[in-house]
Structures are given as structure tokens and as C-alpha cells.
Amino acid sequence: MAMVKGPVIFQVSGYQNSGKTTLINKLISGLKEKGLSVITIKHHGHGGKPETPEGKDSSSHIESGAAASLVEGGGRLLMHAEKKSWSLEEQVRMVLQLQPDVVLIEGHKKASYSKALLLRSEEDMHLLKELTNVCAVISWDDNVIKSNDVNFETPFFSIGDPKGPDWIVEYLVSERMKKR
């Protein structure tokens, strides 16, 4: 049986201000140390469109009606594309063209990819039942885990414990090796 090639796609989910970006940055660093290339997809959950550099040619191209504008220089490629909305699947298909080892998705809680879940408090515990494919849980409040008779095989980590990000990096490396 042939192995499925391609990147590992992994989400970091949780509510606003739960530490998603901090965790993603730790994962990027850890995966890069292991020699893996990483691409991220971030959901701009603050309403409206993300900011773009004003007064630049690429922005003026979009303002003039271009659907997309790419700018390259010194090996850096910036893409600015506009349409009514972009599904997560469309975004994933685009980044797959760059052939990464790992795609990290920040946000998009309801998507079905394997994920780490960040819990801020007791109020967030419902996410454990609502979300699928949770591989690791990182909690801001150790009492949340202890007080909920959580009987999952999913590993739980405290937000300040470096073992959490380290465990996730090793998990992602292992998953990537399965696809080679």
C-alpha cells in the first residue's frame, strides 16, 4: 500500500486571547529546528479585512480591480488576493502549492483537522465535546482539568509547561515521517 504524501495539516484552536499565536510561534520554531518547512494559515477573527500596506503598488493594483497581486523580492513572495470570501479548503489548496512539510492553521475551530485546543477557563470546557480530532489540550487553569473528571486519552498540559509545545512538535514530526 502506498503512503499518502503531502504535508501534515494541524490546527491550533481556542477562543481569542487564549495563546494561539504564541503556541503557533513555538511550534514553528520547534519544527524549523527539526528541519521541517512550515506554512501558516491564520483566521482574522477580529471582523473586517486584515490590514494591507497602504501606498504600495500591490495595494493600488487591488484597489484598481485586480483579483490578486504577487510581489517578489529577494526570495520573499507576498500575495494579496481579494474576493467575497475564502474557504479554509481554498486557502489550504493554495499553500499546498508551496510544498511545505507542515501547515499550521490558527483558528477555524470547527474544521476537522487534528488540533491542539487552548482552554482559558471552565467556560471553555464545552469545546472538548464540540470540536473533533483534539490531539492535545493546553489549559490556563490546572483546576479546570482536575475538577472535570476529564477521561480522555488526549494529553493535557499547563500553559506554562514547555512539555506541551514539545509534545506537539514531536507529534507533528512523527506524523510527517509517516507521510514520507
Side-chain angles (χ1 to χ4, degrees):
M1 178 168 73
M3 287 288 189
V4 176
K5 295 193 183 235
V8 174
I9 301 175
F10 189 79
Q11 292 176 257
V12 174
S13 297
Y15 287 118
Q16 190 174 345
N17 297 320
S18 62
K20 295 184 302 292
T21 301
T22 300
L23 178 57
I24 289 267
N25 288 334
K26 288 177 182 177
L27 298 179
I28 293 167
S29 296
L31 291 165
K32 188 173 179 189
E33 284 177 17
K34 300 283 186 180
L36 298 180
S37 64
V38 180
I39 292 181
T40 63
I41 296 173
K42 180 177 178 8
H43 181 247
H44 181 70
H46 308 293
K49 295 180 181 183
E51 292 181 24
T52 57
E54 289 184 36
K56 298 294 181 189
D57 291 342
S58 58
S59 294
S60 72
H61 295 171
I62 295 295
E63 290 164 11
S64 295
S69 175
L70 272 74
V71 180
E72 189 280 333
R76 178 176 291 167
L77 180 71
L78 301 177
M79 182 172 132
H80 181 162
E82 301 244 350
K83 67 178 200 169
K84 187 172 181 171
S85 68
W86 295 89
S87 71
L88 179 57
E89 290 73 25
E90 288 174 311
Q91 294 172 66
V92 168
R93 279 197 305 272
M94 273 194 273
V95 300
L96 292 181
Q97 298 303 309
L98 300 171
Q99 301 177 343
D101 293 311
V102 178
V103 175
L104 296 175
I105 300 169
E106 182 176 335
H108 296 281
K109 279 189 269 314
K110 304 290 183 182
S112 62
Y113 298 107
S114 297
K115 64 183 64 69
L117 175 59
L118 287 120
L119 300 175
R120 297 171 303 186
S121 67
E122 179 85 33
E123 294 171 1
D124 297 352
M125 287 297 291
H126 65 95
L127 291 173
L128 281 171
K129 292 179 182 152
E130 294 172 14
L131 302 184
T132 60
N133 297 319
V134 176
C135 297
V137 176
I138 298 178
S139 176
W140 283 77
D141 181 357
D142 293 339
N143 292 326
V144 167
I145 297 164
K146 294 173 188 167
S147 69
N148 276 280
D149 286 335
V150 178
N151 190 15
F152 291 105
E153 292 179 18
T154 307
F156 279 75
F157 302 95
S158 174
I159 191 76
D161 185 352
K163 290 179 190 160
D166 291 348
W167 185 92
I168 296 168
V169 166
E170 291 305 321
Y171 169 82
L172 294 172
V173 168
S174 161
E175 291 297 300
R176 179 62 182 138
M177 296 310 289
K178 292 177 187 176
K179 291 187 171 219
R180 286 198 168 157

